[in-house]
Amino acid sequence: MQFTAYPCPLPGGAAGSEFALAFDRDRQHRMLVLPALFDEANRMRRFAVEVMRRLDGAGIDSFLPDLPGCNESLRSLAEVEAEDWAMAAEAAAAEFGASHVLAIRGGALFVPGALPGWSYGAVKGASLLRTMLRARVLVSREAGREENLEGLLAEGLSQGLELAGHRLSADMFARLHELAPGDDIRLTAIDQDLIGGSPLWLRAEPDEDPDQADALAAVIAMGLKQ
Amino acid sequence: MTSDTDHKLRRILTDVLGLKPGQADAFDADTGLFGHLPELDSMAVAGLLTEMEDRLDIVVEDDELDGELLETYGNLLAYAEAKRAR
């Protein structure tokens, strides 16, 4: 496993870079792994890296880029637009010479157009927002403040909003609200039934499951052999 | 006799709480949820409600969300069954 970076342009075109985790031995198959978003990013990160270790063992290179404003990024999420994430995914794919993509949950909203591959647990942006909006309503009520989904949605669309500790710009909020996983036939959706167990992104606490990581890596390794 | 809603709701709680298969079978109407299970914080409850909407094909309205709804398994099940009957 290597710690590396990829060039990721700043708004306005100035040079910048973001962190990435890589298993790179110059092999034929090179998988770009697009991470889950927001709180799910934490819950799914260990799983993502566990899958990458297994892919490495199966002779497949893989790369897990940070999206601008997330994880180790120096940029403030509040200033990031949805388009920045799409550009980052494209830039990482180009830098690492990706041959395929594995998009996890909300990562499926930013798959570079030219890549074949897999999506796991792909989710609509509106659904991610709804869960975070509701968490905020629950917390507000416990604190004695009356907020509702409709009002917060309107505020998010016009001014941006802080959700589950993530400050989203109005652009990010509005674009996420519209984005849905594409129906690109080059992307194969992996169902939880195929992986077994229960999805780790639903867990209240971060968890791991070696059997699920085995299963996901096996689906990909077999798919690449065909 | 367990209803389809009961079965699905136990499955959702199994997923959210990371329970072993079968563990949720021990839940009864008085089993405490929000406020009784430390891992069931507001984010987890929000995730639970989104899953209920998706898998039970219901819409949970803002004004239906009160402490009582999530207090026990019995309350949550009664709510879900009433919603689906509509």
Side-chain angles (χ1 to χ4, degrees), chain A residues 11-32:
Chain A
S17 72
E18 296 290 352
F19 173 87
L21 210 57
F23 290 85
D24 188 358
R25 300 181 212 240
D26 246 335
R27 291 171 288 197
Q28 178 196 357
H29 295 306
R30 299 169 70 77
M31 184 74 56
L32 177 71

Side-chain angles (χ1 to χ4, degrees), chain A residues 86-131:
Chain A
M87 277 170 51
E90 294 277 1
E95 170 70 11
F96 299 122
S99 61
H100 295 80
V101 66
L102 166 63
I104 300 174
R105 294 288 287 164
L109 303 173
F110 302 97
V111 173
L115 290 180
W118 291 264
S119 67
Y120 171 54
V123 63
K124 281 185 194 166
S127 179
L128 289 176
L129 286 177
R130 188 169 170 82
T131 302

